């Protein structure tokens, strides 16, 4: 996006000259407030209607497995590595949503819902949809042999994430992978 640092609108924020997508990496808070309705106006999680559930797989030998995103037009982070997952349906809790996404929609894995472990929850702004979302992240331990027979029905398949600094990780997935490596004492 392009914005003018010198020209100020009547509210005291930088006047936007042109805006195409996600905010610049180190955008000033005033710019974010102008573009996104105010970071200070972030709603409480219980007041946000859209919930995303994501999951990384961890093999018994310590491999962290994510999904290589598709290269379709208009999707977030095309070709990057992120968690498997998707939006929760109405009436579905986040853990039910990720179990459905992983076992019924995105892969042929057979796992028990109680084998899914919670990692973290966060509130995040989703620029393409211009909305706040609550994001719930999980991990599940699988056998190395599960990778030999796992089919992935969305994106470009599965891939190993060797480090939280992996250049191909989505920017939003990076802190999640960092937390996962730390929690499980995995070495890059």
């Amino acid at each position: 996006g392009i914005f003018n640092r010198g020209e100020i609108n009547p509210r005291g924020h930088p006047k936007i000259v042109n805006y195409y997508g996600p905010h610049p990496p180190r955008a000033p808070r005033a710019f974010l407030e102008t573009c996104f309705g105010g970071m200070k106006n972030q709603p409480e999680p219980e007041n946000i209607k859209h919930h995303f559930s994501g999951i990384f797989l961890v093999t018994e030998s310590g491999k962290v497995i994510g999904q290589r995103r598709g290269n379709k037009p208009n999707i977030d982070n095309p070709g990057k590595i992120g968690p498997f997952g998707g939006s929760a349906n109405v009436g579905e809790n986040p853990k039910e949503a990720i179990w459905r996404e992983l076992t019924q929609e995105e892969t042929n894995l057979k796992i028990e819902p109680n084998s899914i472990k919670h990692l973290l929850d966060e509130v995040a702004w989703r620029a393409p949809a211009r909305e706040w979302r609550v994001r719930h992240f999980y991990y599940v331990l699988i056998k190395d042999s599960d990778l030999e027979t796992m089919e992935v029905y969305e994106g470009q398949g599965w891939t190993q994430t060797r480090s939280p600094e992996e250049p191909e990780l989505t920017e939003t997935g990076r802190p999640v992978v960092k937390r996962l490596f730390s929690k499980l004492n995995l070495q890059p």
Side-chain angles (χ1 to χ4, degrees):
I2 301 169
F3 62 100
N4 181 339
R5 290 180 190 254
E7 197 172 340
I8 303 296
N9 71 18
R11 294 179 59 204
H13 300 297
K15 184 176 179 183
I16 298 172
V17 176
N18 206 344
Y19 183 72
Y20 294 105
H23 61 80
R26 290 188 179 89
R29 184 171 193 79
F31 174 72
L32 296 173
E33 290 173 0
T34 302
C35 293
F36 304 131
M39 300 304 268
K40 64 184 176 192
N41 295 328
Q42 174 182 319
E44 292 298 318
E46 59 272 11
N47 296 326
I48 299 173
K49 64 180 182 173
H50 290 108
H51 289 251
F52 169 86
S53 291
I55 191 165
F56 283 95
L57 314 177
V58 181
T59 69
E60 56 200 356
S61 65
K63 294 177 184 171
V64 175
I65 306 300
Q67 179 189 42
R68 171 92 49 199
R69 304 217 10 104
N71 275 324
K72 296 178 184 176
N74 300 322
I75 68 164
D76 296 349
N77 304 297
K80 296 282 190 173
I81 302 168
F84 294 91
S87 294
N89 292 331
V90 174
E92 192 175 46
N93 73 44
K95 195 170 184 179
E96 292 168 338
I98 198 54
W99 182 83
R100 173 187 47 78
E101 287 282 343
L102 187 64
T103 64
Q104 298 175 11
E105 295 183 17
E106 295 191 3
T107 76
N108 65 337
L109 276 178
K110 303 292 182 222
I111 60 167
E112 294 297 319
N114 63 359
S115 66
I116 296 171
K117 308 296 182 208
H118 181 260
L119 185 61
L120 67 98
D121 296 321
E122 65 180 13
V123 172
W125 176 258
R126 186 164 181 263
R130 298 188 54 79
E131 68 181 8
W132 290 100
R133 283 203 173 174
V134 180
R135 300 181 336 151
H136 310 272
F137 291 99
Y138 300 88
Y139 66 95
V140 64
L141 303 174
I142 64 170
K143 297 177 185 170
D144 287 282
S145 60
D146 289 338
L147 294 178
E148 296 170 15
T149 58
M150 185 170 77
E151 296 175 24
V152 178
Y153 309 127
E154 293 184 11
Q156 299 180 56
W158 64 267
T159 189
Q160 182 179 351
T161 301
R162 299 185 195 296
S163 158
E165 303 310 316
E166 179 92 37
E168 295 184 62
L169 269 173
T170 63
E171 286 305 312
T172 56
R174 190 173 312 287
V176 177
V177 170
K178 187 173 186 173
R179 172 80 64 91
L180 181 59
F181 269 73
S182 174
K183 182 177 180 88
L184 299 180
N185 295 317
L186 299 172
Q187 299 302 314

